[in-house]
Each structure stands twice: as C-alpha cells, then as structure tokens.
Amino acid sequence: MTPTPNVYDAEPIPEAARAEIDCMLQSGDLFRYTAPENAPVTLLEREFAEALGSRYALAVSSCSAALFLSLKALGLPRDARVLIPGFTFAAVPSSVVHADCVPVLCEVGDNYRIDLADFEARLDDGIHAVIISHMRGHTSDMDAIMGLCDQRGIPVIEDAAHSLGTRWHGRNIGTIGRVGCFSFQSYKLVNAGEGGIMITDDAELVARAVIMSGAYEHNWRKHFTGDDAALDAAFGRWQNRLPLYNLRMNNLSAAIIRPQLAEIPRRVRDGRANHDYVADRLNASPWLHVPAKLGPEERAPDSIQFNLVGLSEDETRAFAAAAAERGTKVQVFGLSADNARAFWNWKFIPGGTPELPRTRAMLMKACDARLPARLTRPELDTIADALIMAAEDVMGQPRAYGT
Ligand SMILES: *Cc1c(COP(=O)(O)O)cnc(C)c1O
C-alpha cells in the first residue's frame, strides 16, 4: 500500500530563483526603491498584471495588507459597512476592522458559496462595499453579484487569496470586481512564505494604494512605465495627502515568486485533475458529498472540501478521528476548537458576531483535506480510501441494493 503522503510540504522553489537571490545577497539590494528602475518587485507587478489581464498590480506584504489597502484606497468613510461572506478566513473581517470599517456577514450555502437571497437582502442595509471571498477557491455566482452591486454602485473587492488560476466564464478570478487580492503565503498556489498582490484597472485606486503602501516622496515613479495621463494625474492629486502604512514587499520575496509564475498553469491543471479524481471517488460513498462547481467556473484547487451526509455531531467527530487513525487529517471547520474560518470565533467584530444558521449548519458538516498538485494517483487513492473507509468505520458498510 502507498504510505500516507505528506500533504503539508510545498513544492521546491524553482532553481532559477537561486541566482537572483545570490546576486541580491552580494549587492544587498533588498529594498524595492533602491534601484532607479526594474527592481524585482516592480518586474513581478508587471508580469503578474500581464498574466492576469489587468492594467495595474501592487505587490505588498500579504493578502491581508492588499485587502486593507483596497478598502482604504476606495476612500470609505469611518464605520462604513462592508459586506463579507460568513464563511471565510479571519483575515477578511480583520482587514475590515483594521480599515476602520464594520464587517457585515451574509449567509453561505451548503456548496460553500454565497447565499444570494441573503446577500441581496443585506446589500440594501446601508452597505458601502463588498468583499467576495472565494473561500478555498469556490467561486460564488459572480454574474449575479456584479449585477446586484453594479445596479447600486457598490464596489466589489475580490479576495482571491486562494483562487489564483481560477476562471469564471474564461476570465481570471480577481479581474471581475474593482480590485482583486491574492496571497503568496506558503499554503497558497504560489509560495513566498508571505506576500500579497492586488490588481485593478482603476488608476485612482491604484495610485492611492501605491502611496499608502509606502511609496514616500516620489517613489511612485518607480512603479509603472509608459505614458498614463490618468495615473500621473492621480499621483499628483494624492501626493502628501495620504498616510503611509508601509506594507511593501521586499525584493527577496519577488525573486522567489517570479520563477513560480510559469509554474501556475501546471499547478492549476494537476490540482484540478487531482481534485476531480478524488471528488468522484468520494461521491461514490453515501456518507460523503462534494458539491458541484458552478457552470462558468474552472477551478484551481489545492485542497478538497466535502460534506458529511446524515452523520450526527458525535459521528462527525468519530469520522475525523477515524480518518486521522487511517493517516489522513481532516478538519471539520465548525468542530475544531478556535477555527479561524468559523464566524463565531471572530469575537473582535464590533457589536459581536451575528447568528448565521445556514452557514453554521454547513460548517458543522463541511470537511477540509489538503490535496497538493504534486500528489500522484496512488497517493490520491490512499487519501480517498482513508476517507471512504473512515466513514464506513463510523456508519457501517453502505447497504447493497438489488440482491
Ligand atoms: C490565506 C487567505 C487570506 C489571507 O492571506 P495572507 O496573505 O495570509 O494575509 C485571506 N483570504 C483567504 C480566503 C485566504 O485563504
């Protein structure tokens, strides 16, 4: 039998990063603004914007920083209400609080996607901006969401931290809303340990974000090349008028990220094939259900989420224990203590967390297992077997039909 695979290690950083890093260790040139032009961070921004099909990119210290700067760059008033999904990572409500805004949560359905009826109802409750978190890469119905938000003139920020490479109607996730934010933290598709980037076509928004990211004096001139009158005018308007939060990326991170950009298509292709293979196997069990993707969505998963069907809370705990016994770690979002993806643990939200019964019910049965793109077919079978047999350990053999 194939031994239980290690699902935690990231892939090795491409060899090409080494020469660039060696150069930097020699020159000491680690700060993005030391060189007059073409610093690795600037080159990363150019390459990333081009790869995604967006006009501007700004690399920063994390996706959380990108979300925070996006809210600040929108110029929202203090205490502005920002609608976010009730199923996301704690970084999202945290960025809203950090930007002096108030998170308002909406329900998320059994398929991990935003409940549109609840979303629409809450949108008319004084909402100034929306953050759509494509949690674990699951894309909510962006046609419906953009329709509702555009009608009302409400800006949409896409939290695409975990969605790099995902497409919606063939378009890259992160380019649909006013701004898209990505993460380079080690558990994401591209790994720099830490890091983030935001993309937008909006000159005013990016100029404000660049200055606030820490482009003091005239360092914003090192961000973009070419003639762009709208951008120059925006920098002129905002010079010396915005606080500098210093959330810059350093050149070492950019040198680690840049050679990984070419790897994205392969990681997406393999991650999707792995996910779909394991999903088909799990869906053959009566106790496990992997919700279908939405029609326009092409996913880029590096983990799998599935719901337990007909298991009580005790049986759910027993399932997680049985899977661990069989060598595959599963987290049930709503059951592990202090889980950062369970909304009731976001006790820092001003006024307390609301109750979201549908989202809570989903979190109590939704399981999460890592499934990195580098796994082989036998390794995938080891994981699928462990999950299917763990359900049978708890619920017994499924009843055979027919004879
Ligand atoms: C990882 C993640 C974040 C935070 O990214 P950082 O770069 O660690 O700040 C935000 N949202 C989602 C959905 C994530 O998966």
Side-chain angles (χ1 to χ4, degrees):
M1 207 180 112
T2 308
T4 307
N6 174 344
V7 294
Y8 294 99
D9 290 356
E11 291 187 22
I13 304 303
E15 193 53 35
R18 200 179 295 271
E20 179 82 21
I21 292 168
D22 271 347
C23 260
M24 277 187 232
L25 295 182
Q26 273 302 316
S27 67
D29 182 5
L30 307 180
F31 183 47
R32 71 167 296 165
Y33 295 136
T34 305
E37 58 187 7
N38 294 334
V41 179
T42 308
L43 296 177
L44 165 66
E45 289 168 340
R46 207 171 294 158
E47 291 158 1
F48 194 87
E50 194 182 311
L52 274 282
S54 146
R55 196 179 299 237
Y56 309 112
L58 170 64
V60 289
S61 53
S62 67
C63 181
S64 300
L67 291 168
F68 163 77
L69 284 173
S70 299
L71 291 165
K72 282 289 180 192
L74 285 171
L76 302 176
R78 184 173 280 271
D79 293 331
R81 292 163 63 76
V82 179
L83 189 57
I84 66 170
F87 175 44
T88 182
F89 188 57
V92 175
S94 302
S95 70
V96 177
V97 170
H98 190 190
D100 292 320
C101 298
V102 178
V104 177
L105 274 48
C106 78
E107 290 269 28
V108 171
D110 279 351
N111 66 352
Y112 321 127
R113 291 163 175 87
I114 286 170
D115 176 324
L116 285 171
D118 192 60
F119 179 83
E120 182 171 6
R122 291 178 201 260
L123 208 50
D124 289 324
D125 188 14
I127 295 299
H128 289 78
V130 163
I131 300 180
I132 300 298
S133 205
H134 304 297
M135 186 54 174
R136 285 291 190 273
H138 298 284
T139 312
S140 293
D141 184 342
M142 289 306 288
D143 299 347
I145 287 167
M146 292 311 296
L148 292 167
C149 292
D150 285 349
Q151 262 167 30
R152 293 162 175 80
I154 297 175
V156 173
I157 298 168
E158 286 184 82
D159 165 22
H162 218 148
S163 288
L164 182 55
T166 304
R167 289 168 189 251
W168 178 258
H169 290 297
R171 193 163 156 188
N172 282 309
I173 280 298
T175 64
I176 298 170
R178 181 85 63 89
V179 47
C181 301
F182 297 84
S183 174
F184 301 123
Q185 185 262 357
S186 290
Y187 284 148
K188 313 297 159 107
L189 195 80
V190 169
N191 164 28
E194 299 276 8
I197 197 163
M198 54 194 276
I199 55 173
T200 183
D201 289 339
D202 185 327
E204 180 82 1
L205 189 147
V206 83
R208 288 171 54 90
V210 162
I211 292 174
M212 286 188 279
S213 76
Y216 59 93
E217 296 165 354
H218 296 147
N219 279 312
W220 48 263
R221 292 203 171 114
K222 295 180 180 172
H223 278 253
F224 306 103
T225 49
D227 290 333
D228 189 330
L231 194 60
D232 291 345
F235 280 122
R237 249 189 320 280
W238 293 108
Q239 180 77 57
N240 299 343
R241 291 177 187 277
L242 294 167
L244 308 173
Y245 295 104
N246 288 9
L247 300 165
R248 295 173 299 250
M249 178 180 278
N250 79 54
N251 281 338
L252 274 175
S253 303
I256 287 172
I257 294 164
R258 289 179 62 216
Q260 292 182 64
L261 297 182
E263 305 277 316
I264 294 173
R266 182 202 34 95
R267 291 180 188 173
V268 168
R269 190 179 62 238
D270 293 354
R272 187 187 301 152
N274 288 356
H275 173 276
D276 293 353
Y277 176 75
V278 174
D280 282 348
R281 289 214 49 207
L282 300 191
N283 277 331
S285 162
W287 318 116
L288 309 177
H289 176 62
V290 182
K293 70 174 192 71
L294 300 186
E297 192 184 4
E298 289 169 73
R299 303 198 59 227
D302 60 6
S303 62
I304 189 163
Q305 290 70 47
F306 56 95
N307 294 328
L308 298 175
V309 182
L311 276 68
S312 68
E313 190 175 319
D314 283 346
E315 288 162 345
T316 301
R317 288 184 196 279
F319 165 79
E325 187 87 353
R326 290 179 175 279
T328 292
K329 277 260 167 48
V330 166
Q331 88 170 319
V332 181
F333 293 109
L335 285 185
S336 68
D338 301 324
N339 195 301
R341 300 146 202 91
F343 64 84
W344 52 87
N345 290 326
W346 306 338
K347 294 191 178 119
F348 53 83
I349 291 183
T353 54
E355 193 39 51
L356 300 170
R358 292 200 54 194
T359 308
R360 179 182 287 266
M362 177 273 285
L363 291 169
M364 297 308 281
K365 63 181 180 188
C367 301
D368 185 34
R370 292 179 52 77
L371 216 55
R374 61 177 162 73
L375 296 189
T376 61
R377 203 40 82 83
E379 289 175 323
L380 298 172
D381 278 323
T382 303
I383 291 173
D385 288 342
L387 296 173
I388 292 164
M389 291 192 291
E392 289 175 9
D393 291 344
V394 176
M395 303 303 284
Q397 290 282 327
R399 222 173 287 138
Y401 292 97
T403 51

